[in-house]
Amino acid sequence: MGSIDETHLTQAQHVLSDGKVRQYLRKYYYIANEPGIDKEYGDLFTEDGVFIMGDRKATGREAIRALRKKIWEEVPNRDHDAVKMFSHGNHEDDTELMVLGTATWGYHEGHKNVGDWAAHIKLEMGKDDQLRCSFYQIIMDHTVHTKKQKK
């Protein structure tokens, strides 16, 4: 199951100093790798949050949930590992981040592909004192999904 590389997370604590951010990222990547929990995934975003993956864009929790459901129908197995995290920009907090990772995707035909990805993330603290994502953009080579490699 996907994870955050705790070694890199520990080494990056001076960069990701906010424990709530580290906790949010652990929860995010756990939920991102679990099928069928679209409501919980949408709840990780602000009401007007934006999710971008290639040419696909969803704005708002319901649209993000619907896009996630469609993505899972297309690629029924995934395992994302976040391996490096960085504060992005000139911020005194950790609310804008870059995350680098690897993923293994499993397809209906039985084969699997492995690839690298990056994510640009913006977080906001809600009135309920919960972090939520207001912007999440995945950056990757989407041709990895057209290759038939490992069984």
Side-chain angles (χ1 to χ4, degrees), residues 15-98:
V15 177
L16 296 181
S17 58
D18 189 332
K20 287 185 178 186
V21 171
R22 291 193 307 271
Q23 182 179 9
Y24 175 88
L25 291 171
R26 282 186 190 97
K27 182 178 180 180
Y28 182 92
Y29 290 108
Y30 173 79
I31 290 173
N33 287 319
E34 291 295 314
I37 53 175
D38 305 317
K39 180 185 181 323
E40 291 86 345
Y41 186 78
D43 290 345
L44 294 170
F45 287 82
T46 60
E47 285 292 333
D48 59 349
V50 174
F51 176 88
I52 302 170
M53 185 176 76
D55 61 353
R56 297 175 173 189
K57 181 178 179 180
T59 302
R61 286 184 183 158
E62 290 307 316
I64 291 169
R65 288 178 181 122
L67 178 56
R68 181 183 192 270
K69 186 174 181 178
K70 182 170 179 49
I71 291 168
W72 271 95
E73 289 170 357
E74 295 167 0
V75 181
N77 187 289
R78 62 201 64 234
D79 187 20
H80 296 84
D81 287 309
V83 296
K84 290 191 178 184
M85 294 126 267
F86 308 92
S87 289
H88 180 64
N90 189 16
H91 299 280
E92 292 183 16
D93 58 19
D94 298 330
T95 59
E96 188 167 4
L97 308 164
M98 290 297 297

Side-chain angles (χ1 to χ4, degrees), residues 20 23 124-132:
K20 287 185 178 186
Q23 182 179 9
E124 292 181 9
M125 185 63 71
K127 292 178 184 176
D128 61 355
D129 202 34
Q130 295 294 313
L131 278 174
R132 290 198 175 74

